[in-house]
Amino acid sequence: MILHVRAIEARDLTKMDVIGKVDAYLKFKLSSDLEHKQKTHVIKKNYNPVWNEEFHFKVDPSKNEVLHAELYDWDKVSANDLISTHDFEISSFQPGRVIEIWETFFPAPKVHKPGRVHLVFH
């Protein structure tokens, strides 16, 4: 089975650095294959980035897999800052059904405003 994930946009992201705005991107990985990561392009200087990018994951329906999503602020000089995360249980998705959601992610330590992410699954 193939899981299609469309990362559409995010809203209300928090400033992570003293200078500049948020340079946001999303990273996805399956619980069964943590080495294989897929990520969006970086949208620079924007608290409300729009990606509109699609990703495909091969999943085993017999396993209880989780899609882990991480929202980051890209940094040119230092390590990228984790803003927030969310885990999606793939078994909760009905095969053949399109699910469009706005999800509030869970904030990383010391982050007060994790942002909301607009995703589509099918």
Side-chain angles (χ1 to χ4, degrees):
M1 180 171 87
I2 302 294
L3 173 65
H4 304 276
V5 179
R6 179 169 292 278
I8 298 176
E9 61 188 315
R11 292 280 178 254
D12 305 321
L13 301 184
T14 191
K15 184 175 181 171
M16 299 296 291
D17 301 318
V18 176
I19 299 173
K21 294 183 179 179
V22 178
D23 301 323
Y25 71 94
L26 279 168
K27 185 188 302 185
F28 299 99
K29 54 190 168 187
L30 283 176
S31 57
S32 65
D33 184 10
L34 297 177
E35 296 298 317
H36 184 232
K37 301 169 188 149
Q38 297 188 52
K39 63 181 184 173
T40 65
H41 290 89
V42 175
I43 305 296
K44 294 188 176 182
K45 301 179 183 178
N46 197 324
Y47 296 111
N48 300 300
V50 176
W51 298 285
N52 202 28
E53 295 182 42
E54 189 164 323
F55 304 93
H56 310 281
F57 296 90
K58 186 176 180 180
V59 295
D60 184 346
S62 66
K63 295 181 181 176
N64 194 15
E65 294 198 79
V66 172
L67 179 69
H68 182 70
E70 299 173 330
L71 179 60
Y72 282 93
D73 177 26
W74 176 83
D75 286 324
K76 184 176 185 177
V77 183
S78 62
N80 298 337
D81 299 311
L82 179 63
I83 300 171
S84 55
T85 65
H86 201 286
D87 288 337
F88 298 92
E89 292 185 28
I90 296 172
S91 63
S92 68
F93 301 150
Q94 294 178 358
R97 185 168 177 233
V98 175
I99 300 164
E100 184 172 358
I101 60 170
W102 274 97
E103 193 68 47
T104 300
F105 279 27
F106 297 102
K110 300 182 183 179
V111 173
H112 302 296
K113 193 174 169 187
R116 297 174 54 234
V117 180
H118 187 189
L119 301 169
V120 175
F121 300 99
H122 81 272

